[in-house]
Amino acid sequence: MKWLLILILILSLSPHADCQYMHYTVAQNVPLFTQKNELRLSASTGTENYGFQAAYAFSKSFAITGSYSYGSTFDNSNRNSWEFEVGYFKKFKDSIIFEIYGGAGRYHRDFQTWNDALAGSLPPDTFRTNCTEPYVQFDLGIPGNGRHCFSISGRYGYLFYDHFHSFHAGVNPNAPYGPVYSTTNHASTKPTTAVCITYRLGGKKLSFQAQAGLSGADPVSYYDTGGDFFINVGLSLKLFGEQKIN
């Protein structure tokens, strides 16, 4: 019952968590591998409508991961993303798992919003962009008593916006009753950082997964807040290899 109440609260708040318009953060892929041939599959919902993650350890120290996310929010917007990573993992005794991944993501974002001054009397402002983000991600996992696992992850990347388009309708100061329109179409680059916490609770194979985090990036539009909060819950399945933790 406790986890059901938490899930209901998260889903009820998730539409309001999308406070950054142009760039957004999705659930990070944190497999926490310990051995060769381990496979982890995850599915989640929350700030993103749905997201899917897969990761495979193709050797005793190296792994690949892939993620997809889709979301539509209360501001009549759409967003989707793909991510791919290759990285290294290491288990220290029975207490700590360290992972480092280098990867890249590809994002699409579009939305409309009314101008505050004359809401409803002018065409809505529209924004649309694609973005590529190369990044480095660090994971530090701490297994619990065999039924749960906790980890913290940090990410540093660089945002390369392309096909950036914005349209703004406002009041013409020289003609109070006439609108003025402005359109921009340009590219932009911005650094970004993110940190998140991942928690898993369950058996050796199937477990409940919750993740929450914060990201920051310089704003690139009038409506961009420059920061983002995300939270997601779902299920994670770990297959093959020896099941020693989480």
Side-chain angles (χ1 to χ4, degrees):
M1 178 61 70
K2 178 178 68 174
W3 290 111
L4 178 59
L5 293 176
I6 294 174
L7 175 60
I8 294 173
L9 177 61
I10 289 172
L11 295 180
S12 66
L13 293 177
S14 61
H16 306 286
D18 183 45
C19 59
Q20 185 183 28
Y21 279 94
M22 298 310 295
H23 174 254
Y24 63 95
T25 305
V26 298
Q28 294 183 16
N29 201 333
V30 185
L32 299 180
F33 285 134
T34 60
Q35 292 189 7
K36 180 180 178 181
N37 291 329
E38 288 181 341
L39 173 69
R40 184 176 289 280
L41 305 173
S42 303
S44 61
T45 184
T47 306
E48 54 190 0
N49 286 48
Y50 54 83
F52 301 99
Q53 301 174 337
Y56 177 67
F58 60 87
S59 80
K60 64 179 182 179
S61 300
F62 295 94
I64 57 173
T65 77
S67 305
Y68 173 75
S69 172
Y70 172 82
S72 61
T73 61
F74 65 95
D75 58 357
N76 296 318
S77 67
N78 292 286
R79 60 188 198 178
N80 59 74
S81 68
W82 296 86
E83 293 183 344
F84 178 80
E85 304 171 338
V86 178
Y88 170 84
F89 64 91
K90 174 72 173 180
K91 182 180 180 182
F92 297 93
K93 298 183 179 180
D94 293 324
S95 57
I96 295 177
I97 300 171
F98 173 77
E99 297 179 328
I100 179 171
Y101 292 95
R106 181 67 174 170
Y107 308 94
H108 170 77
R109 184 78 163 102
D110 64 75
F111 71 93
Q112 295 183 351
T113 185
W114 291 108
N115 176 271
D116 293 336
L118 295 173
S121 62
L122 291 175
D125 292 357
T126 59
F127 294 84
R128 181 177 66 254
T129 188
N130 294 327
C131 178
T132 300
E133 180 191 2
Y135 59 85
V136 177
Q137 177 178 313
F138 301 89
D139 305 329
L140 191 65
I142 304 174
N145 59 7
R147 296 186 63 248
H148 65 90
C149 182
F150 169 86
S151 67
I152 184 168
S153 303
R155 178 183 289 191
Y156 179 81
Y158 219 80
L159 305 174
F160 292 86
Y161 291 95
D162 58 85
H163 300 91
F164 184 100
H165 171 84
S166 64
F167 170 82
H168 173 70
V171 179
N172 189 337
N174 299 319
Y177 297 102
V180 60
Y181 303 98
S182 62
T183 301
T184 59
N185 193 347
H186 60 274
S188 178
T189 59
K190 300 289 182 179
T192 180
T193 58
V195 60
C196 80
I197 295 173
T198 305
Y199 178 73
R200 296 189 180 112
L201 174 67
K204 293 182 178 180
K205 293 184 177 181
L206 184 64
S207 59
F208 166 83
Q209 176 175 290
Q211 191 176 84
L214 293 168
S215 71
D218 293 335
V220 293
S221 75
Y222 174 80
Y223 292 99
D224 200 340
T225 65
D228 192 22
F229 168 75
F230 65 96
I231 185 167
N232 294 285
V233 296
L235 296 175
S236 183
L237 179 65
K238 188 175 182 180
L239 300 173
F240 313 127
E242 293 184 16
Q243 307 297 324
K244 292 186 176 181
I245 66 167
N246 58 310

